[in-house]
Amino acid sequence: MAGHDMIHLMQDISPARRPGATTQTASCWHNTAIHRLMLTALLNTLDNALLTTSSATRTLEEWSRAHHLAADPTVRAVRVTSPERSCPAELLAALACSEKNETLRYRHVRLMCGDLVLSEAENWYIPTRLSPAMNTELETTDTPFGRVVAQLSFTRRLITAERLWAPLPDGWELTPLEAGNATPLTFPPLTLRHQAVLHTQPGVPFSAVIETYTSAAFQFPPPDLH
C-alpha cells in the first residue's frame, strides 16, 4: 500500500471520524516494560491466529469473545462508502484475472465488535466465480465477505504480512530495557496488515483481500501481577 493510502486509511478510521466509537488509548495499559512485553505476546498470538485461519471474521469473533471486547462479541461488517481502488498488481496477478475480460468488483467494509473497529477489509472479487446468491448478498448487505462465501470451504494463500506496530523497540533484547512509568500507553491506530488470495476447494482463485487490523483488539485490561 502506498504511503498516501496508508495515511488516508489511518485518518479514515481515527476515533474522531467514528461517532460513538471508543478511543484508541487504553488507559489501563501503562508505558512499562512488562506491559509492552505482554502486548508483544498478544500481538504475536493474534497475528498467528489470523495467519493460520481461512476466516479473519471468525478469528476476530473468537478473540472478541475470549477478551470480552463487547457485551455481544459478534463481529459485524459495516460497509464503507469510499472511491473504488484498483486492485494492486501483485494481487491481480494472483487472481489470474484479466480486467478486460472479467468483471472485478470492489467491496470495502469495517469489521466491528460493539463500537470497536477491529479491521478494515478491502475485497476485490470475480462475480462469475461465485454463485448468484452470493453476489446478491455481497451487493445488498453488509454481511462479512467470509460468511457470504463460507459454503465454498475456501482456502487462503498469504501474499504479504506486515507488522505496523512493535510494542518493543528493535534490539530490545540486546540492550538494557527501560522500566518505563505508569503513564497510560497510547496505542497506534494500526497494528497489522495482511494481503491474501482466496481459493475454492478445486483451487480456483476468486477474491483478493487486504486486511488492516487496529489496536482496538487490545481494548481490555491487562492481567494483575501478584
Side-chain angles (χ1 to χ4, degrees), residues 7-24 110 117 120 188-190 214:
I7 292 171
H8 173 75
L9 181 58
M10 291 176 68
Q11 293 173 337
D12 193 41
I13 66 173
S14 65
R17 292 174 179 259
R18 293 186 285 105
T22 58
T23 177
Q24 295 287 64
R110 292 188 178 116
V117 177
E120 294 259 348
L190 309 177
T214 78

Side-chain angles (χ1 to χ4, degrees), residues 20-222:
T22 58
T23 177
Q24 295 287 64
T25 300
S27 59
C28 49
W29 290 94
H30 296 148
N31 188 24
T32 61
I34 187 63
H35 277 192
R36 287 184 175 274
L37 283 165
M38 290 178 179
L39 286 165
T40 298
L42 285 166
L43 186 62
N44 289 341
T45 300
L46 178 60
D47 195 20
N48 183 66
L50 290 165
L51 289 173
T52 54
T53 185
S54 59
S55 173
T57 302
R58 183 172 62 247
T59 299
L60 289 176
E61 200 159 86
E62 291 170 354
W63 179 272
S64 299
R65 183 177 296 106
H67 295 91
H68 309 290
L69 294 186
D72 178 4
T74 302
V75 170
R76 69 191 190 282
V78 177
R79 194 182 291 266
V80 178
T81 24
S82 58
E84 185 167 331
R85 201 161 71 87
S86 298
C87 185
E90 186 177 13
L91 291 177
L92 190 61
L95 268 178
C97 171
S98 169
E99 289 183 299
K100 294 180 181 178
N101 300 320
E102 290 185 282
T103 300
L104 192 66
R105 289 186 182 154
Y106 176 74
R107 195 172 192 255
H108 183 186
V109 301
R110 292 188 178 116
L111 293 183
M112 299 187 66
C113 177
D115 287 333
L116 299 174
V117 177
L118 299 180
S119 78
E120 294 259 348
E122 294 181 279
N123 281 94
W124 293 265
Y125 64 97
I126 303 170
T128 55
R129 301 180 190 180
L130 301 177
S131 71
M134 290 176 186
N135 281 303
T136 298
E137 190 168 4
L138 288 171
E139 292 167 18
T140 61
T141 76
D142 285 352
T143 306
F145 191 90
R147 285 199 185 122
V148 174
V149 301
Q151 61 183 285
L152 295 176
S153 300
F154 61 88
T155 58
R156 178 185 179 100
R157 181 167 73 87
L158 182 69
I159 303 298
T160 62
E162 299 173 77
R163 288 286 183 99
L164 306 179
W165 176 50
L168 291 166
D170 289 342
W172 64 269
E173 73 279 16
L174 302 175
T175 58
L177 186 60
E178 293 185 9
N181 53 60
T183 58
L185 180 64
T186 300
F187 287 70
L190 309 177
T191 58
L192 305 165
R193 178 173 292 118
H194 298 161
Q195 299 187 38
V197 172
L198 310 184
H199 295 75
T200 63
Q201 279 298 310
V204 178
F206 64 89
S207 174
V209 61
I210 297 178
E211 296 157 336
T212 305
Y213 299 92
T214 78
S215 57
F218 307 108
Q219 294 283 316
F220 57 88

